[in-house]
Amino acid sequence: MRRRSPPLPRYSQLYPDALATADELKDQRLKPGTPTPVALLEYTRPPHTTGICALYERAKAVPMTVEDVTPLLRRAIPFISNG
């Protein structure tokens, strides 16, 4: 029988600086260090869009590898690096 994991903390709109969404990590060329999120973020976007996304620990994030980078981003990296 499978054990239930404890419920994840939920944040609404704002969350601690120690946590980040996968997109925020990706913007820093990082990826989540663990497959399981540590918390959830409930967000609202005008006019009536709501959703939930995963939050990961920034301290456990690891650098993206070549395999993680999409072909489009791979072509853009030289331009981003030269700023």
Side-chain angles (χ1 to χ4, degrees), residues 26 66-80:
K26 189 176 180 182
V66 173
E67 293 81 24
D68 299 320
V69 180
T70 64
L72 181 62
L73 184 56
R74 210 174 293 143
R75 287 193 303 269
I77 287 174
F79 299 106
I80 296 168

Side-chain angles (χ1 to χ4, degrees), residues 2 5 8-10 12 14-15 18 23-25 31 35 41-42 44-47 49 60 63 65 72 78 81:
R2 214 172 145 182
S5 50
L8 296 175
R10 284 183 174 234
S12 181
L14 301 173
Y15 51 92
D23 284 345
E24 289 173 331
L25 293 175
K31 65 181 182 179
L41 172 65
E42 297 174 350
T44 304
R45 289 189 199 150
T49 305
K60 291 186 179 178
T65 62
L72 181 62
S81 299

